[in-house]
Amino acid sequence: MAKKYVYNFGKGAAEGNSEMKDLLGGKGANLAEMTNLKLPVPAGFTITTEVCTYYYNNKLRYPKELKTQVKNAISLIESQMGATFGSNTNPLLLSVRSGARASMPGMMDTILNLGLNKNTVNAMINKTSNDRFVYDSYRRFIQMYGDVVLNLKPADKSGVDPFEELLEKKKRSLGIILDVEFTANDLMELCDDFKQIIRDHTGHRFPEDPEEQLWGAIGAVFNSWMNERAIVYRSLNRIPDDWGTAVNVQSMVFGNMGETSGTGVAFTRDPASGENKFYGEYLMNAQGEDVVAGTRTPHPILDLKKTNKKIYNQLESIRLKLEKHYKDMMDIEFTIQEGNLYMLQCRIGKRTGLAALKMAVDMVNEKLISKTDALMRVQPEQLNQLLRPVFDLKEKSAAIKSGNLLAKGLNAGPGAASGRVYFNSYDAVNASARGEEVILVRIETSPEDIRGMNVSEGILTSRGGMTSHAALVARQMGKVCVAGCGKLEIDYLLKHIKIEDKPGIIIREGDFISIDGSTGEVLNGKLKTKPSEILQVLIDNSLKPNQSNEYKYFSRFLKWADEVRHLSIRTNADQPDQSKNAVAFGAEGIGLCRTEHMFFGGNRIDAVREMILAYQREGRVKALKKLLPYQRKDFMEIFRVMKGLPVNIRLLDPPLHEFLPKTEIEIKRLAELIGTTIDEIKYKIDSLHEFNPMLGHRGCRLAITYPEITEMQVSAIIEAAIEVQKEKIKPKVEIMIPLIATLEEFVVQEELIRRTAEKIISSKKTKVDYTVGTMIEVPRASLQAGKIAKRADFFSFGTNDLTQLTFGISRDDSAQFILEYLDKGIIERDPFETIDRAGVGELMKIATERGRKTNRKLKIGICGEHGGEPDSIDFCNSIGLNYVSCSPFRVPIARLAAAQAVLKK
Amino acid sequence: MAKKYVYNFGKGAAEGNSEMKDLLGGKGANLAEMTNLKLPVPAGFTITTEVCTYYYNNKLRYPKELKTQVKNAISLIESQMGATFGSNTNPLLLSVRSGARASMPGMMDTILNLGLNKNTVNAMINKTSNDRFVYDSYRRFIQMYGDVVLNLKPADKSGVDPFEELLEKKKRSLGIILDVEFTANDLMELCDDFKQIIRDHTGHRFPEDPEEQLWGAIGAVFNSWMNERAIVYRSLNRIPDDWGTAVNVQSMVFGNMGETSGTGVAFTRDPASGENKFYGEYLMNAQGEDVVAGTRTPHPILDLKKTNKKIYNQLESIRLKLEKHYKDMMDIEFTIQEGNLYMLQCRIGKRTGLAALKMAVDMVNEKLISKTDALMRVQPEQLNQLLRPVFDLKEKSAAIKSGNLLAKGLNAGPGAASGRVYFNSYDAVNASARGEEVILVRIETSPEDIRGMNVSEGILTSRGGMTSHAALVARQMGKVCVAGCGKLEIDYLLKHIKIEDKPGIIIREGDFISIDGSTGEVLNGKLKTKPSEILQVLIDNSLKPNQSNEYKYFSRFLKWADEVRHLSIRTNADQPDQSKNAVAFGAEGIGLCRTEHMFFGGNRIDAVREMILAYQREGRVKALKKLLPYQRKDFMEIFRVMKGLPVNIRLLDPPLHEFLPKTEIEIKRLAELIGTTIDEIKYKIDSLHEFNPMLGHRGCRLAITYPEITEMQVSAIIEAAIEVQKEKIKPKVEIMIPLIATLEEFVVQEELIRRTAEKIISSKKTKVDYTVGTMIEVPRASLQAGKIAKRADFFSFGTNDLTQLTFGISRDDSAQFILEYLDKGIIERDPFETIDRAGVGELMKIATERGRKTNRKLKIGICGEHGGEPDSIDFCNSIGLNYVSCSPFRVPIARLAAAQAVLKK
């Protein structure tokens, strides 16, 4: 039997179903599924993705069986629709659409109204008695065909589409402005003119033969799989080239055949709030394009209840049927042709974080899905949206009503921000220094904008997508960001913004705007922001748990996650309030308490500098003595907040020069304070200068040169533990040595730590629960893990440094070429964002295996920033780590990601 | 049977032999061996190293069997020597000496004349009729015993030895200067005073019982194994602590019993020239100490022929016997007691590089050893000495004769250098800038001196050993160095040097001195240096091969090495003359031709800077076009010199900012030259600034951003190859991509290289033998080697960067703490000097295995500086690399090391 390349659907029966996305693409599989569900789907067929792959592997030729299979499929449609392809009396018209496994919105080509020609046009006019509609359809078809199949559409935006050019010319000559003002006759003339354009540009006539039209369109869809924007899109979204696209050929239905026709899009639940109610828009006597064009305002779907109860009821029952069947919120497209409803598309609906959470919990309550399903329904990153500052919804609605919505861009960095507009880093930094809140507005951002982004409340760009520099950096920085807001016309020279479709409005430097990075909205003026409901409960305590539905959903959902996950979740925190927040978010300990921040507070830094400037051990010890009480107090406060949860304290890590003053004034002040000369200090600064400080005298190397620093820090830790034990708190202390590359480094420091600790403990005749371990952040330490683990109680992967060293890339210097690498597809994801499994991951695996082999009880965690990134958490789970540690606000994300990691496994 | 802890030797029979060094230590094993050879060795016994290990494992207690075994051994000596230990009539006196497996000169303690007390002193006087000799021996014994056994010797040099203090006092009161001026009576009084010192300091009497003396001395020797300097010495020389030392107890013989007695040291061949003649010194009526003290000048051993023909002949026959037996040049110590010859020590003699080479070849000719033995007899590093500049031997002898030898230190960096004395980096750098030749003189050096060392011809220090900072860095830099020249009194403040034993001489800043780093000699004034004989043959061509014996030995010896080795030897060179030298030294290709140096020559740098400053591709391409002819010419010259041997060319590696001007003047000049503003250039310099340039925008990352650089370089390479092919030279080109971390980086560059090359090749209708491969210098590349090797023709390990990244240590910033790590025994050797097998080595092994698995024909080499270091070469051989590449002057060393690697395996 010949291989099957074509799958039919129509009249309540389909050869495919929704499980066959790989073969039929998403659109084709769901059209088949809806057909099987007896929903009114116009008959059609899907040419499989295998044909696409064959096409590219065989010099753009089709499998020989295809022609016959398509022919048979057309016959089937003809019989089901009671019309004949190319008939001069009752012609069948077709749409030809792409449809890949994964959604690639707007990336590939579509041709509608296929089958029209001189003869079928007349038949259609006879049939519809609507010559304007028919000529308009014909003119659109010729234009689409010329653009897409015959490649007359210019490759980039600066080029001119010859059809559009002619349209404009015609309008001018007729003195009209809108397309709808063309008469049937105008359109008929345009059809002839368009055909002439094709003849002039290609040297061939427009093909009147419907079959030729069909094969031209099918070829164009397959070719569009390899157009440049599709290739770029796939590389950005990590879709393999060899997946290929399917082609969906379907009989046309028209929403623009008069007032009993119409078209609409809808969601089975509210995709913003998650509420279980029908949500969508429709427009009568219109095609999909008209809804998008925005020249007419669509009506809310509920209005249909009043204007066309029959259709509404039919849609409502379809909504329920689809949800029951798919067990998820669906996004649908429908067309009403002369009072008959047709379903054109259905797919899983996109949704906000809040909606995802609410739907997941609601659907469990509705017994539609299991808790496990629910946990997989929310992307961990979506939880982030629930923690970001928000606009007051009433205030925002009022602003939108009074016309202050300027434009919508991509919701690239969730949260809400208001501030004054500045157009470059320099101005932004200065404004911020004056105490202003800043929104940095750029056409697109580059590494030179980092300083400006850093001081801004939010970032707004007119160009670039969800993976643009602005979007990536904003998410990294935790900044609100609206990216790719194409309607903004940003003028750096005049320092103002104009809005494409709002000619009267100019936003100037210093004016207030507000951006909602969770929705992409850009609003004129200043809107107040406030912490999200969940933060009001957990952090501000301005709301009680039972006063917030959001919180109830959030905590219930994460409790389910906690039941499933194996990984513990800890936090990176070195301040008592940070630690407290993290515990509120569910942190089960501190995975990384950096001690260097504690060296800066108040006048501690003076003692630190005095220590660095001392030439002898005695001088350093004297200065360190001044620091000890501060450190002890810091640790006591953290131990109190953590109430017996483990606290992992990393000994001093950065190179000493980071603590020295940088400005002349500071140097002078310091010289006076500690009684030395300015030259002396400058000499020390010079002598501590390093070419590559990342690879310099830091971490345990510092502690080996200056063991007195370790002695002071360990004394402070142990004394603090003993102090709080008097308050009935039993701290669990983990003392962590940074930057170990060799066993010997570890041993030297470990012995010093234990000696120092035991001396204090035995002098106080008490006990302290402490362990000693190390960061694994140097490739060599990974390889030597077996030896090191014999002495270490725990490992903690410092994946920031481990990534820098495994790749030989400095994070501080790489922003520029990492973006280029992403652009060019050299790397799939930024290794500083997600763990590079092949390289860094292998070293982590080696370290874990070797470490556990020699020390069965070795506790292993991760404290690099990857510890809060879902895909990295999945990896950590897969290699059997004990915990991940992340910043306090990412703890909920990590809890969910850890649960999903178990479920995925 | 009880375990044997004591091994006897004496009267032509010994229980041990020279194979038993592990158990008996070097000295003990050779004393046994000499005894078995029927040489006249005073009877004695060796307590094994196992006793030492037992002693430290059992709380400083001895095995219970030891007492009896020692007692029996003493009895045996007594019967063999015809004297009785502790006898009041015919007492036996003993020496007690340490003796470890490896030589640890001066590190441990020795006690002589043991057995003397009130009674035996009288017996000895009766026996010798030489009361002065006996009291002098007694006084020395008490002092040694007090110092060593009773710990009265101060731990550091600043302390005062109470015995020495008293001696000085006594001399002052007697108005004498030298020890020899003491009368027998003075010495007798001193004995009593010394005993009183012991009583005062320890509260105990000096032990008169010889047995108590013996056990005290044995314990002292074992204890000295763990004294601080011994521990430091072992850690520096990588001698394990658990080897332990043996103790040699031997009957005393005296060279100071009158004019028929004497003592001497000798070598069986000349240890400096290697000539096969007896070489050494002796002194009559003297003890070993007197030779060392330098108060009397010893006579050449050949003089003995005239003064004591019998003894001379006896020694000559021992010399021949020892060489025939040991098949090597031996270092011997002997004593003549009243006309009788005694052998006290024999061991393999240390020798210069020239001597090692000559002896090895001569002994093959003499059929004493095989070629394989010969190859193992020369340490690869010793060959270095043969390539270093030398003083004219006649001129140097003349200078020494006229009293210009100032002092002798350690021969820490071979070669000869003359220059003006400067005492710090600052002055040295300035003097060098004035065009002076500089010898940097420091008490000891530290990382702050690096700049000064770099501009100096040679380095001279008064403190520190063969592994001191000065010695290590000098050898790394290839500088002449004499270290630890303790007789120099260096005064930084007055900027002069005085010589301890030459009160009249002062060397001031700016004065000329000459240092011989191959011998340790420091000479006053300026001596001419010239290239070594071998260089005169190979490089200068000022000598013909048959005019130089040194060259004949050298080339014959290395031919043997070439027959044995598996590794090819290549060189790192980017200049035609460098390449030519390397070929003369035996290089079989270029393993690393860096292209960045070529960017600096002449006015090329202007074009490079123009390229960097261009904002668009067009501007860069234009500037690169100017560079292309230069690069092409460079490559043509190298291809010509290499005459078809493989040439591995690395594409541009360093970050662009390295090429930009640094000074205001340069910036101004450049701005005028290329018609831009100073601000523009400064802006660019700022924007290219990197925090960690080692981890920045360099290597293939640069080439991916600016593919036009790769295009230009590949064009230059391929065009050059095509040009020289017209001259009947067939270059073998290897194009190497630097800093690959991912397969995708490699593929992008590889495709560009092949595309560029093929375009030129096909346009010229010719062929070029070229391959494309990559450096493996990033840990991730090692792990991904399997994937990369599918596309790469070759790998070359860049072990400098690989070491930096595997350890997370910047070589530029680590000098200070690496030395500290060596000092503290945290690392055994500087990983930048020799490959760290456990870490870097594992990554190399992984890369080799994975690479060869996917590409059986993969060629693998090393081009980091480790490629010229013998131990690293051994490692490269063991993991199966194809070649090592090193700097031209290290090629002979690498040839030998590669042969030894095979033989050791």
Side-chain angles (χ1 to χ4, degrees), chain A residues 779 802-809 836 838-840 842-843, chain B residues 700-701 737-746 773-790 792 794-798 801-802 805-806 840 842-852 854 858 860:
Chain A
L802 192 60
T803 301
Q804 297 197 83
L805 293 170
T806 305
F807 275 87
I809 291 180
D836 156 55
V840 178
E842 180 170 4
L843 288 176
Chain B
C700 67
R701 298 164 196 166
I737 307 168
L739 214 70
I740 291 293
T742 72
L743 169 65
E744 291 74 16
E745 288 172 322
F746 182 79
T774 178
M775 298 274 277
I776 300 286
E777 53 189 330
V778 170
R780 197 178 187 280
S782 288
L783 299 171
Q784 292 286 296
K787 285 187 187 168
I788 296 170
K790 285 190 196 163
F794 62 84
F795 284 172
S796 176
F797 287 108
D801 277 6
L802 193 59
L805 294 171
T806 304
V840 178
E842 179 170 4
L843 287 176
M844 291 173 71
K845 232 171 127 181
I846 288 174
T848 305
E849 285 167 4
R850 294 185 183 178
R852 289 255 168 78
T854 61
L858 187 72
I860 311 182

Side-chain angles (χ1 to χ4, degrees), chain A residues 80 105 110 131 187 205 226 261 327 401 419 464 499 509 558 591 605 682 704 719 726 731 740 744 788 798 899:
Chain A
Q80 286 174 342
T110 291
D131 55 351
L187 292 165
R205 284 173 189 276
M226 283 296 176
S261 299
K327 298 179 194 304
K401 265 191 193 143
I499 320 294
E509 184 183 66
L558 284 177
I605 188 67
K682 285 190 178 165
I704 285 169
E719 288 172 10
K726 295 177 188 161
I740 291 295
E744 292 74 14
I788 297 171

Side-chain angles (χ1 to χ4, degrees), chain A residues 410-468:
Chain A
L410 298 169
N411 51 343
S418 269
R420 292 179 192 273
V421 166
Y422 287 96
F423 293 95
N424 60 53
S425 265
Y426 183 82
D427 295 338
V429 169
N430 285 336
S432 164
R434 289 193 299 271
E436 295 181 14
E437 292 179 326
V438 172
I439 304 288
L440 181 69
V441 179
R442 301 284 299 166
I443 296 172
E444 48 195 347
T445 63
S446 73
E448 283 117 61
D449 299 316
I450 300 277
R451 287 180 61 222
M453 295 173 81
N454 204 29
V455 300
S456 301
E457 305 301 310
I459 296 119
L460 171 61
T461 68
S462 60
R463 247 192 247 157
M466 291 299 277
T467 50
S468 63

Side-chain angles (χ1 to χ4, degrees), chain A residues 576-592:
Chain A
D577 55 337
Q578 276 179 357
S579 315
K580 205 173 143 190
N581 291 349
V583 171
F585 283 134
E588 297 159 308
I590 290 180
L592 175 64

